[in-house]
Amino acid sequence: MGAELLGPGEAEADDVVLAWEGEAVIAVRLPQLSESLDHILAAMERRHGRPLAELDRRTKQEVVRTLEARGAFSVRHGVETVAGALGVSRFTVYNYLNRENGSKSG
């Protein structure tokens, strides 16, 4: 999901350094969560074969459920980003989330 491979000497504090037989061989720089959300949205568009904004309401609700399961709404501005991709308001995304959470508890 957009990770970058680096030499171990280029690793920063947040990077993951992988070792083989006790010697650092490569570092992996993971993308920021906000970048991951963009990758997830792009993958969902590819899966549906068209822009998310062109999907029907029921499919958009399914997309929101999938994104919630993947933690998309824990990302700063996640609701706004998803609303923009779906072509709906933030209020609509919150309604989709509340509808899903209401059905789980009922």
Side-chain angles (χ1 to χ4, degrees), residues 8-31:
E10 299 173 77
E12 296 177 1
D14 290 341
D15 297 335
V16 178
V17 178
L18 304 175
W20 178 260
E21 296 183 356
E23 183 179 335
V25 292
I26 197 162
V28 179
R29 180 164 298 151
L30 300 173

Side-chain angles (χ1 to χ4, degrees), residues 33-34 37 72-81:
L33 286 175
S34 58
L37 180 53
F73 302 111
S74 62
V75 175
R76 186 172 187 206
H77 303 297
V79 171
E80 291 87 346
T81 301

Side-chain angles (χ1 to χ4, degrees), residues 59-100:
T59 307
K60 288 179 182 181
Q61 290 170 337
E62 292 172 10
V63 166
V64 168
R65 281 194 295 275
T66 300
L67 292 170
E68 183 181 28
R70 293 186 179 184
F73 302 111
S74 62
V75 175
R76 186 172 187 206
H77 303 297
V79 171
E80 291 87 346
T81 301
V82 171
L86 291 175
V88 300
S89 68
R90 290 181 340 200
F91 181 76
T92 299
V93 172
Y94 283 119
N95 278 341
Y96 292 169
L97 289 168
N98 288 335
R99 173 172 293 155
E100 176 63 17

Side-chain angles (χ1 to χ4, degrees), residues 45 49-57 59-60 85-87:
E45 282 192 347
R50 58 184 161 174
L52 298 177
E54 295 178 4
L55 301 174
D56 62 44
R57 183 172 52 92
T59 307
K60 288 179 182 181
L86 291 175

Side-chain angles (χ1 to χ4, degrees), residues 31-52:
Q32 299 297 319
L33 286 175
S34 58
E35 294 173 20
S36 294
L37 180 53
D38 291 337
H39 286 287
I40 292 168
L41 290 168
M44 294 188 90
E45 282 192 347
R46 286 191 301 275
R47 182 185 319 153
H48 290 285
R50 58 184 161 174
L52 298 177

